[in-house]
Amino acid sequence: MKLYTDEELATILDSQPIFRLIGRVADEAGVECYVVGGYVRDLFLERPNDDIDVVVVGSGIDIAKRLKKQLGRDAHLSVFKNFGTAQVKYFEERGEKREEREIEFVGARRESYSHDSRKPIVEDGTLEDDQNRRDFTINAMAICLNEKRFGELVDPFNGLADLEDGIIATPLDPEITFSDDPLRMMRCIRFATQLNFQIEEVTFEALEHMADRIKIVSSERIITELNKIIMAPHPSKGFVDLQRCGLLNIILPELSALDIVEQKNGRAHKNNFYHTLEVLENVAAATSHLSPLASHLYLRWAALLHDIGKPKTKRWAPAVGWTFHNHNYVGMKMVAPLFRRLKLPLGPELHYVEKMVELHMRPQVIADDVVTDSAVRRLLNDAGDDIDDLMTLCEADITSKNEVKKKIFLENFRMVREKLTDLVEKDYKRLLQPVIDGNEIMQLFGLKPSREVGVLKQYLKDAVLDNRVENEREPLMQLLMQKAKEMGLV
């Protein structure tokens, strides 16, 4: 973070001529205008931010129209009368690049809320009114763009001090702030996670008291914030806060249910909630250098959900202790209802996460035993193009504090990866499907689609995967006829 004087702020804003132009337009209209919110916050944090929001003490739409006229034909104006906002898109020269930029304009306003809705009753207001309605002190700072006060910081809630101290706090009473717009509770935790800030004590207590209000917020809005938490550099921080304040049990009870440790006869299982967060952190670390980072969102979701089947499958076996048999399969079955409830995508993203959850134990089982070509070939067949992501998840799942045991597991995983590479190089993927398919089987034996056809297809596929025969017509036909005879089909 860097502190700036008003003169230094003016110099920084001058690096983008659009700010002076907005100030001149506002002066001609006889109104005050300020750049506000995330742009100001990130300026002090020295973080790039091209989202420019301007508050006008008057009509934001009028100033947007005037600015568009000054910018000429290349600029585009969008007006949203119902919300009292407008957007101006224009092109700006940056070195040798010509980039499109956009600025949002809104009139300063005051807001009031009814208990059962996030939609506020809006009235024209002062800059002070507008800053009062902001979610957090660090987002309530404004910098004047009018010529006489250009670069002057207006910070009534000491947001700059909170930035410096790494604190998330609300400008007004946090219980009222969260009750008015419960989505702010998710944003509170999201900002604390992204910025690695602490939530101020009174503000956190309000999260606990008001958590139930999140139920009036749509799943779409919640998932937007949740995805931002998941994609933060250290997402586990956000999930710890969500669990501590009670929000997680409302929005993701399947994950919250993992936060328990049972003990019997002096033997306890690990806390699978904190184990899951370790796995999520490991996946985040393994993918943080890759670009685009957003493409790994659903791998992180898979890490988050990989053990959600454990509470339903937990059993006590005196001989071995606590067991979670088939938790991967049970967990996989839980993914689709969870995705539907949260309004997550139900297409390839869902199927990908289901696959990751179901298969996340397979490489570990292989690594526990002799790493055979047959076992690795089956894994490659089942994981398909997602095999590398699956291996990343499985390696992240090794969170043992026993360094010797951990080293052995990771070494075995290295051997599995080597086998995978060898098999791919030999083009086994092309050979995994037997050359005799289901249609030919039905023609040969006069069958319609049926269980018998499935049995014969699987028999041939197993023979190829286990390398008992070459994937060639003659040896497969001999096996097929032998099996068909055993089944009484010939």
Side-chain angles (χ1 to χ4, degrees):
M1 178 183 169
K2 191 165 183 178
L3 298 176
Y4 297 105
T5 64
D6 290 352
E7 291 76 15
E8 289 171 329
L9 289 174
T11 301
I12 292 170
L13 294 182
D14 272 334
S15 66
Q16 297 184 59
I18 192 70
F19 289 121
R20 285 285 184 184
L21 181 56
I22 295 170
R24 284 199 298 272
V25 167
D27 285 337
E28 290 169 5
V31 296
E32 296 175 16
C33 69
Y34 302 82
V35 59
V36 298
Y39 183 87
V40 178
R41 176 198 68 227
D42 288 345
L43 191 152
F44 287 102
L45 290 175
E46 300 181 277
R47 297 193 335 162
N49 189 337
D50 288 334
D51 293 330
I52 299 174
D53 294 308
V54 173
V55 164
V56 178
V57 185
S59 171
I61 293 175
D62 177 59
I63 297 303
K65 288 179 177 178
R66 289 170 180 258
L67 178 65
K68 195 275 178 198
K69 187 175 181 180
Q70 289 286 329
L71 291 170
R73 290 183 180 179
D74 275 355
H76 177 76
L77 172 69
S78 299
V79 175
F80 310 97
K81 285 186 179 179
N82 290 343
F83 299 97
T85 65
Q87 180 189 80
V88 175
K89 290 186 178 181
Y90 68 102
F91 288 95
E92 183 175 274
E93 305 295 334
R94 289 192 173 185
E96 297 180 357
K97 293 183 179 179
R98 190 169 185 262
E99 298 181 359
E100 187 177 61
R101 304 288 303 280
E102 60 183 56
I103 301 176
E104 299 279 348
F105 289 85
V106 65
R109 59 196 186 185
R110 64 168 65 95
E111 295 177 346
S112 57
Y113 292 79
S114 62
H115 186 74
D116 59 350
S117 174
R118 289 184 57 243
K119 295 180 180 178
I121 300 167
V122 178
E123 303 173 276
D124 291 341
T126 63
L127 175 66
E128 181 182 1
D129 291 328
D130 200 87
Q131 288 175 301
N132 285 343
R133 73 177 182 85
R134 298 279 162 175
D135 50 9
F136 308 111
T137 60
I138 62 173
N139 294 334
M141 296 182 288
I143 301 175
C144 188
L145 298 181
N146 298 89
E147 184 177 358
K148 288 185 178 179
R149 296 169 55 212
F150 190 80
E152 178 184 315
L153 177 67
V154 183
D155 181 19
F157 303 110
N158 296 315
L160 197 56
D162 285 346
L163 267 187
E164 197 170 10
D165 293 339
I167 296 293
I168 302 292
T170 59
L172 303 178
D173 183 330
E175 291 204 7
I176 295 175
T177 297
F178 295 150
S179 180
D180 284 349
D181 185 355
L183 185 65
R184 289 170 175 166
M185 294 189 286
M186 295 295 298
R187 286 170 57 82
C188 177
I189 291 174
R190 188 251 291 182
F191 279 120
T193 306
Q194 289 179 325
L195 300 175
N196 195 25
F197 280 16
Q198 296 302 311
I199 300 172
E200 182 257 342
E201 185 176 348
V202 174
T203 302
F204 194 87
E205 289 173 358
L207 288 176
E208 295 175 297
H209 296 158
M210 307 305 297
D212 206 54
R213 286 280 286 159
I214 199 69
K215 293 176 182 177
I216 73 165
V217 181
S218 71
S219 295
E220 291 88 347
R221 301 302 298 273
I222 290 172
I223 208 63
T224 296
E225 296 300 324
L226 202 56
N227 280 341
K228 290 177 181 178
I229 292 171
I230 289 173
M231 293 308 295
H234 294 286
S236 64
K237 174 178 167 51
F239 285 96
V240 169
D241 283 342
L242 286 168
Q243 178 73 341
R244 286 174 56 224
C245 73
L247 280 169
L248 192 65
N249 189 48
I250 298 171
I251 61 178
L252 250 182
E254 298 89 344
L255 181 62
S256 180
L258 296 175
D259 190 10
I260 187 172
V261 175
E262 280 195 63
Q263 189 167 350
K264 195 164 185 176
N265 296 349
R267 300 175 73 174
H269 61 77
K270 65 187 172 187
N271 185 307
N272 286 302
F273 175 72
Y274 288 98
H275 162 72
T276 292
L277 296 188
E278 281 191 75
V279 177
L280 179 61
E281 285 290 315
N282 290 341
V283 167
T287 57
S288 62
H289 65 289
L290 301 176
S291 182
L293 190 58
S295 66
H296 300 285
L297 170 63
Y298 291 98
L299 178 56
R300 295 191 186 200
W301 266 106
L304 203 61
L305 303 181
H306 78 284
D307 274 349
I308 58 171
K310 282 190 170 180
K312 290 185 177 181
T313 59
K314 183 167 65 175
R315 301 289 184 274
W316 169 257
V320 295
W322 294 103
T323 65
F324 305 91
H325 294 311
N326 291 324
H327 75 273
N328 55 317
Y329 179 76
V330 171
M332 180 270 289
K333 290 292 187 181
M334 295 169 65
V335 173
L338 184 153
F339 266 50
R340 280 194 291 270
R341 187 184 76 240
L342 292 178
K343 301 296 191 293
L344 283 160
L346 300 180
E349 298 89 349
L350 165 62
H351 303 313
Y352 168 87
V353 175
E354 286 179 322
K355 181 198 290 188
M356 292 293 111
V357 173
E358 182 180 15
L359 296 180
H360 80 270
M361 297 293 293
R362 283 276 293 282
Q364 185 169 328
V365 171
I366 294 172
D368 267 342
D369 205 347
V370 177
V371 184
T372 64
D373 281 1
S374 176
V376 175
R377 194 179 294 113
R378 286 176 177 277
L379 177 64
L380 180 57
N381 176 70
D382 292 341
D385 292 336
D386 299 316
I387 186 64
D388 195 56
D389 284 358
L390 179 62
M391 292 303 299
T392 298
L393 173 60
C394 293
E395 287 163 349
D397 199 17
I398 305 304
T399 61
S400 172
K401 300 299 181 284
N402 184 325
E403 290 300 322
V404 174
K405 183 179 177 182
K406 187 174 181 179
K407 186 176 180 180
I408 292 171
F409 265 118
L410 293 177
E411 174 61 21
N412 286 352
F413 278 141
R414 185 190 64 77
M415 292 170 61
V416 173
R417 280 190 180 271
E418 283 185 359
K419 287 277 188 184
L420 285 166
T421 302
D422 290 344
L423 291 174
V424 170
E425 286 176 357
K426 293 174 183 175
D427 204 18
Y428 272 106
K429 286 180 76 174
R430 178 177 57 83
L431 302 176
L432 290 177
Q433 293 300 325
V435 295
I436 299 174
D437 63 13
N439 289 327
E440 186 171 359
I441 290 171
M442 287 189 286
Q443 289 174 1
L444 280 169
F445 303 109
L447 296 172
K448 292 182 178 181
S450 59
R451 188 189 70 83
E452 287 82 2
V453 176
V455 169
L456 291 171
K457 280 178 61 180
Q458 190 62 47
Y459 182 72
L460 295 184
K461 187 169 186 177
D462 287 343
V464 172
L465 289 172
D466 292 336
N467 208 26
R468 286 188 277 126
V469 294
E470 293 294 323
N471 192 7
E472 295 173 359
R473 186 172 185 77
E474 185 176 338
L476 281 176
M477 187 61 75
Q478 290 178 5
L479 276 181
L480 178 62
M481 289 301 177
Q482 180 184 335
K483 184 66 174 176
K485 189 173 182 180
E486 291 174 8
M487 295 172 64
L489 297 176
V490 292

